[in-house]
Amino acid sequence: MTQASSAAPTRRARSGGGAARRAERTAVRIETARFIERNIPNFEVLNEEALQIIEHNAETVLEEIGVNFVENPAALAHWREAGADVQGERVRIPRGLARKLCATAPSQFTQVARNPSKSVEIGGRNLVLAPVYGPPFVRDAEGGRRYATMADFEKFVKLGYMSKWLHHSGGTVCEPTDIAVNKRHLDMLFAHMTLSDKPFMGSVTEPSRAQDSVDMCNILFGEQFVQDNTVLTSLININSPLTFDATMMGALEVYARNNQAAIISPFIVGGAMAPVTVAGTLTQVLAEVLAGVAYSQLVRQGAPVIFGAFVTSIDMNSGAPTFGTPEASHITYGAGQLARRLGLPYRSAGSFCGSKLPDAQAAYETANSLNMGLLSGVNFMLHACGWLEGGLVASFEKFVMDADQLGALHSFAKGVFMDDNGQAMDAIREVGPGGHYLGCAHTQANFKEAFWRSDLLDYKPYETWADQGSRDTQELAGARVKKLLGDYQQPQMDPAVREALLAFVEQKKHSMPDAFA
């Protein structure tokens, strides 16, 4: 009687513990990892002599060849007042002037999220990861390749919110082609602001749309808060080679005046918009960044900016861009060194690939591109997940495949722990010759966190994998997309703020006719 009585509670305790663990495993948890803080060295490909040559040549480009600021009389006036030689739209910048102007840009800044716990520090040893940007098409296994819609856009924002290793909601994660060109930025911003609480990007396709972005942030954060803090980081592409168009510069001017961050990013396709050599391309990249960052500081000293470099080369047979190549890696590593010498945060790399499907080609090229971004010292990685077909397509399956792999970057960036636990001498003593480590105290204390583990990839034995349908990675990714969207829970927002944002969007859209070009 006593034995039976004493045994029963033991069985119930085991059952309860197992049930609790199962409940914990199946419960919906929305986690966002802190931005990466590297504890590993940057990989550097250029020695001091090479860096000095490239810096000298970039200054020569600015002084002797110059850059064009097209259809922008105000910019030309700024440069003339600063001491540049302005002839027509050509601006020649005396040696040392651009670098001197760049010195007022901050080396690191905080982009504040509406959820303060998800704010990010851009610069230093940090890496902030943001999703794909700009594709007009989307792809999934069920619907194939098609023009993107606003419904697709909202799904990507939700996936970004649900992705633990993604720190940033991004910007134009796909182009919602079912909405007028002159109005879609309003719906995209509203989606980022309401469907996620991570930081996001502003519109750059027209200066007035940049102002709309600032105005909507004034509603979300408060006008004075926006002037005192950076709440937007936006992408300003340079029309390489050496051309700064009025649309992008107009957006830059809006953001700089309002203390909002801009990525000054040459758009490099080696062999088409830059020389075929690494050193020549780096010279042009540096010249363009110097001119762009310097101009931002002419608009407002201290405006936050990022040294950008979108880098690809061209296939000389087809003319198509190529990704994950050794040459792109050389340029990305070298540009990182140049950015650090300027004291600026650095943007480059991403989940780049030229493949039409989320297949082996996509995986190889993306792995090369993500790892070079981590090792080159990138501080802001746009396109970190979802990129397909040279950036023409945002893929739902590849989004979650890439987002999963971003966890490996987090783990690798931690470096090697050399404390007593890391040295594991107690484990080596306990096990001794011929033993095994599975049951030792050190393993039991560390096994949950010892190894990074994918939330997507299949580690099962062959028989189990076959019994469960022999699914490949794309199928597993499709299932994960559905699960994440099914588990999605919208972050809370003050109803009055949401209504004010919606009223702004509706008023703006009603104030102008639709334009689809």
Side-chain angles (χ1 to χ4, degrees):
M1 178 84 63
T2 306
Q3 290 176 342
S5 173
S6 64
T10 304
R11 286 196 298 270
R12 285 197 297 271
R14 285 199 299 268
S15 176
R21 287 192 293 273
R22 285 192 295 274
E24 183 182 359
R25 287 195 298 269
T26 57
V28 175
R29 289 184 297 174
I30 301 174
E31 299 178 88
T32 299
R34 180 177 168 85
F35 53 86
I36 291 174
E37 297 173 88
R38 290 179 180 86
N39 194 34
I40 56 174
N42 297 315
F43 185 76
E44 301 189 339
V45 296
L46 301 174
N47 62 23
E48 179 63 25
E49 180 184 13
L51 290 164
Q52 289 184 14
I53 290 171
I54 290 167
E55 290 170 339
H56 176 85
N57 289 348
E59 294 277 7
T60 300
V61 169
L62 293 177
E63 185 174 46
E64 298 181 7
I65 301 169
V67 296
N68 282 355
F69 277 76
V70 299
E71 300 178 350
N72 195 340
L76 299 175
H78 275 307
W79 278 116
R80 192 177 288 110
E81 185 179 349
D85 175 21
V86 179
Q87 302 293 331
E89 293 183 330
R90 182 67 58 89
V91 177
R92 292 180 174 85
I93 305 171
R95 188 174 295 274
L97 175 59
R99 187 171 289 269
K100 179 181 178 183
L101 292 170
C102 290
T104 60
S107 60
Q108 184 168 322
F109 63 90
T110 301
Q111 183 181 353
V112 179
R114 76 173 178 93
N115 180 343
S117 70
K118 297 181 182 179
S119 299
V120 293
E121 295 283 342
I122 301 175
R125 301 286 299 163
N126 304 330
L127 171 57
V128 174
L129 300 167
V132 65
Y133 183 108
F137 300 99
V138 297
R139 172 181 281 279
D140 60 29
E142 295 177 352
R145 186 183 190 268
R146 62 187 185 279
Y147 278 105
T149 65
M150 193 62 211
D152 293 315
F153 186 95
E154 291 173 347
K155 287 180 181 177
F156 277 119
V157 173
K158 292 176 181 179
L159 287 175
Y161 173 68
M162 296 293 288
S163 298
K164 176 179 179 178
W165 307 113
L166 202 61
H167 315 118
H168 203 281
S169 195
T172 309
V173 286
C174 63
E175 281 281 357
T177 59
D178 56 337
I179 299 177
V181 169
N182 60 329
K183 299 179 180 180
R184 65 181 59 155
H185 67 288
L186 299 164
D187 294 284
M188 290 190 284
L189 284 162
F190 185 77
H192 281 301
M193 291 178 174
T194 59
L195 300 179
S196 177
D197 59 3
K198 295 181 180 182
F200 54 89
M201 303 175 76
S203 177
V204 297
T205 52
E206 211 276 334
S208 68
R209 297 168 198 164
Q211 187 60 55
D212 287 342
S213 304
V214 173
D215 291 343
M216 289 181 72
C217 285
N218 287 340
I219 296 171
L220 183 63
F221 293 99
E223 289 188 35
Q224 191 58 51
F225 189 90
V226 170
Q227 291 301 311
D228 295 340
N229 299 273
T230 298
V231 299
L232 289 166
T233 295
S234 303
L235 177 62
I236 304 298
N237 281 320
I238 297 168
N239 281 354
S240 303
L242 304 172
T243 301
F244 297 77
D245 68 79
T247 298
M248 283 288 167
M249 290 303 99
L252 170 62
E253 290 157 11
V254 169
Y255 289 126
R257 282 197 300 268
N258 288 280
N259 192 38
Q260 302 308 303
I263 305 166
I264 311 297
S265 193
F267 194 93
I268 297 299
V269 180
M273 292 136 79
V276 296
T277 62
V278 171
T281 295
L282 284 171
T283 295
Q284 183 181 306
V285 165
L286 181 57
E288 292 175 350
V289 169
L290 282 168
V293 172
Y295 182 63
S296 75
Q297 302 306 295
L298 289 176
V299 175
R300 176 171 173 166
Q301 280 194 6
V305 285
I306 299 173
F307 180 128
F310 174 85
V311 179
T312 180
S313 52
I314 194 170
D315 180 83
M316 290 298 182
N317 290 323
S318 68
T322 58
F323 299 92
T325 62
E327 296 78 20
S329 293
H330 284 146
I331 294 166
T332 304
Y333 291 129
Q337 292 179 257
L338 295 168
R340 288 189 290 277
R341 286 163 71 93
L342 265 180
L344 293 174
Y346 178 40
R347 171 259 163 156
S348 196
S351 60
F352 297 146
C353 67
S355 182
K356 317 307 179 286
L357 297 168
D359 57 10
Q361 178 184 340
Y364 282 126
E365 292 173 343
T366 294
N368 288 344
S369 300
L370 291 177
N371 283 308
M372 79 178 180
L374 178 66
L375 296 175
S376 64
V378 166
N379 301 117
F380 188 89
M381 188 189 294
L382 194 57
H383 311 301
C385 58
W387 174 289
L388 200 64
E389 200 181 321
L392 289 174
V393 172
S395 162
F396 286 97
E397 287 87 2
K398 188 162 183 291
F399 190 102
V400 299
M401 291 162 64
D402 295 337
D404 179 70
Q405 287 298 298
L406 299 181
L409 300 190
H410 281 75
S411 184
F412 188 80
K414 292 176 183 177
V416 177
F417 295 102
M418 290 303 298
D419 57 3
D420 288 345
N421 186 66
Q423 293 175 52
M425 289 300 294
D426 55 340
I428 298 171
R429 286 192 178 96
E430 179 184 342
V431 172
H436 69 79
Y437 286 85
L438 288 176
C440 80
H442 185 270
T443 300
Q444 292 301 306
N446 288 279
F447 76 93
K448 288 185 178 180
E449 305 293 335
F451 306 119
W452 175 77
R453 193 177 193 279
S454 168
D455 290 324
L456 174 68
L457 302 182
D458 185 277
Y459 299 129
K460 302 181 185 73
Y462 173 82
E463 292 77 13
T464 307
W465 170 78
D467 288 344
Q468 294 180 352
S470 306
R471 295 184 297 174
D472 63 15
T473 304
Q474 184 172 198
E475 290 178 274
L476 293 172
R480 182 159 177 78
V481 169
K482 292 177 181 178
K483 182 180 189 316
L484 290 173
L485 292 176
D487 289 344
Y488 171 80
Q489 298 173 10
Q490 188 168 355
Q492 292 184 345
M493 172 180 269
D494 182 339
V497 173
R498 189 183 190 283
E499 288 305 311
L501 287 168
L502 186 60
F504 179 92
V505 169
E506 291 177 344
Q507 184 276 323
K508 275 286 183 178
K509 293 175 80 170
H510 289 149
S511 71
M512 52 187 161
D514 288 354
F516 283 92

